[in-house]
Amino acid sequence: MTGWVAIAGLGPGSEALVTPEVTAALAKATDIIGYIPYVARVAERPGLTLHPTDNRVELERAQHALELASQGAKVVVVSSGDPGVFAMASAVFEALEERREFAATDIRVLPGITAMLAAAAAAGAPLGHDFCAINLSDNLKPWDLIEHRLRMADRGDFAMAFYNPRSKSRPAGFEKTLEVLREECGESRLITFARAVTTPDLTLRTVTLAEASPDMADMRTVVIVGNAATRRVGRYIYTPRSAL
Ligand code: SAH
């Protein structure tokens, strides 16, 4: 039996946004690896072993996937959203670099709809012109680098999407982010807080930076800051396609 690893994105929450390609891979799998809440989204069935693990063990998870595939398992590593966006795909390639004995493994990355795109769609079209995505977690990079990228992104007049905006272990981080943004973008810039997008718990709120407060975000929120031209039309937020 030839094993393989598929690194699959389950989308932002709604089952309607899981791609047919991902559904087909899950149906063929013998093993599912991933963070507990994402593995919980996969239905149990005979012949399928679930391997849920806690947060922050991405490399161990990735190595486990490669080991199982080398023994003939058909492994799906699940991420929420897209597996290439602040998620497991890079972790699997990091593991592959460390464990060259697995170099011949058949690895496929199956894209999914990332939180930022589902949130933008719910709000209107705030990412309709040039934009960037920044992970605000300082687990894997220092705060100074995050601050530098925030300032550079605003100087380039990019709209911005923030993942992992706030957690209990980093209560001050998002407060600092808002301070930097007010300094760089001014108080009237629009900021959208999109929580639990595509799930029944969805909340969507757009305010100005002057009105924004850290408690508007948590770890289920993706935050979108418009560029200088982002504006409201009716109940929608959009960024014009042109910078002219
Ligand atoms: N790979 C994922 C991102 C993982 S990082 C993706 O492509 O979407 C986890 C962060 O994603 C969360 O802290 C939050 O900022 C964002 N996120 C994931 N699902 C979300 C959802 N349904 N609604 C809002 N934000 C979400």
Side-chain angles (χ1 to χ4, degrees), residues 86 115-120 123 126-127 131-136 150 159-166 174 177-178 181 189-197 203-209 212-226:
F86 311 131
M116 136 185 111
L117 298 184
L127 303 178
F131 65 89
C132 64
I134 301 179
N135 184 349
L136 291 183
L150 287 172
M160 298 168 230
F162 302 138
Y163 287 75
N164 296 309
R166 191 161 177 256
F174 193 57
T177 298
L178 289 176
L181 288 171
R189 183 69 55 92
L190 293 177
I191 179 168
T192 298
F193 296 87
R195 182 173 193 276
V197 172
T203 57
L204 195 61
R205 185 170 186 191
T206 299
V207 296
T208 62
L209 278 178
S213 65
D215 60 340
M216 292 177 182
D218 66 7
M219 286 309 273
R220 289 186 79 190
T221 308
V222 67
V223 179
I224 297 179
V225 177

Side-chain angles (χ1 to χ4, degrees), residues 125-162:
L127 303 178
H129 191 64
D130 297 343
F131 65 89
C132 64
I134 301 179
N135 184 349
L136 291 183
S137 166
D138 57 6
N139 288 342
L140 298 170
K141 64 189 169 199
W143 164 256
D144 287 352
L145 182 59
I146 298 174
E147 180 173 339
H148 176 67
R149 288 185 177 158
L150 287 172
R151 291 189 191 279
M152 292 304 108
D154 183 61
R155 286 176 207 174
D157 198 26
F158 288 95
M160 298 168 230
F162 302 138

Side-chain angles (χ1 to χ4, degrees), residues 6-8 33-35 38 53 57-63 65 77-80 82-95 109:
I7 314 155
I33 288 182
Y35 180 39
Y38 308 151
T53 43
V57 292
E58 288 84 0
L59 260 191
E60 287 91 324
R61 246 185 237 150
Q63 292 191 354
V77 179
V78 287
S79 286
S80 74
D82 182 90
V85 179
F86 311 131
M88 282 303 298
S90 290
V92 171
F93 293 116
E94 282 168 30
V109 182

Side-chain angles (χ1 to χ4, degrees), residues 7-20:
I7 314 155
L10 297 178
S14 163
E15 291 311 306
L17 298 184
V18 179
T19 69

